[in-house]
Amino acid sequence: MYFSMKQSKLLTFFIWGYVALLITAYTFGKEPMGNQFIPATHPLGILFSILSVIFLLSLLLRSGYTLTDETLTIHRGLMKQKIPLDALTDWTADEEKLTIHCGTYDTLVLTPKEMERFLETLHNVKTLPTAN
């Protein structure tokens, strides 16, 4: 089952601001003065801008958690991390975040939008030893 991740308002503001800045610069801007490694009007400059926008928007639009019977998969944009549910050892939940300990030293901080439903699904799939 897929659960969306809560997004930081500051991160959202900066990403959309960067996208708006690039669109404005390419629409109304002129080539800046000085030496540039790759000018913005060069095909590589345009390609870099497009790829950076795709990567940043994927962070906003494709971030969440997939919970199956055997794994917890964390999607963060184009990146994906799979954690076996057998590795989960302990957890602590509050209204905004869920802290899960995996093994001896690893800690995950999850922020699903629907915390109660996520915890209910997690309990149905895996019984964790303690709930603090």
Side-chain angles (χ1 to χ4, degrees), residues 49-129:
S49 297
I50 290 171
L51 291 177
S52 66
V53 166
I54 289 171
F55 174 74
L56 290 173
L57 288 178
S58 75
L59 288 177
L60 288 180
L61 304 175
R62 197 168 180 273
S63 295
Y65 313 104
T66 302
L67 194 56
T68 64
D69 290 338
E70 299 173 358
T71 61
L72 169 65
T73 306
I74 302 171
H75 304 276
R76 189 73 174 143
L78 302 173
M79 300 169 279
K80 184 171 26 172
Q81 178 183 8
K82 286 189 176 187
I83 296 133
L85 291 180
D86 294 338
L88 306 182
T89 58
D90 188 22
W91 64 280
T92 305
D94 62 23
E95 292 179 6
E96 296 185 14
K97 65 184 179 195
L98 173 66
T99 306
I100 297 177
H101 300 281
C102 304
T104 308
Y105 301 108
D106 294 332
T107 302
L108 302 170
V109 178
L110 308 179
T111 56
K113 282 184 181 177
E114 302 175 41
M115 179 67 78
E116 305 235 350
R117 200 172 121 228
F118 181 82
L119 286 173
E120 181 181 316
T121 306
L122 185 61
H123 279 295
N124 290 340
V125 173
K126 164 99 173 144
T127 303
L128 297 175

Side-chain angles (χ1 to χ4, degrees), residues 29-41:
K30 295 180 181 176
E31 193 65 36
M33 296 174 57
N35 294 331
Q36 298 176 358
F37 182 66
I38 299 175
T41 56

Side-chain angles (χ1 to χ4, degrees), residues 6-21:
K6 284 184 190 175
Q7 297 293 337
S8 162
K9 291 178 182 173
L10 186 61
L11 176 68
T12 303
F13 173 76
F14 280 119
I15 289 175
W16 283 113
Y18 178 74
V19 171
L21 178 70

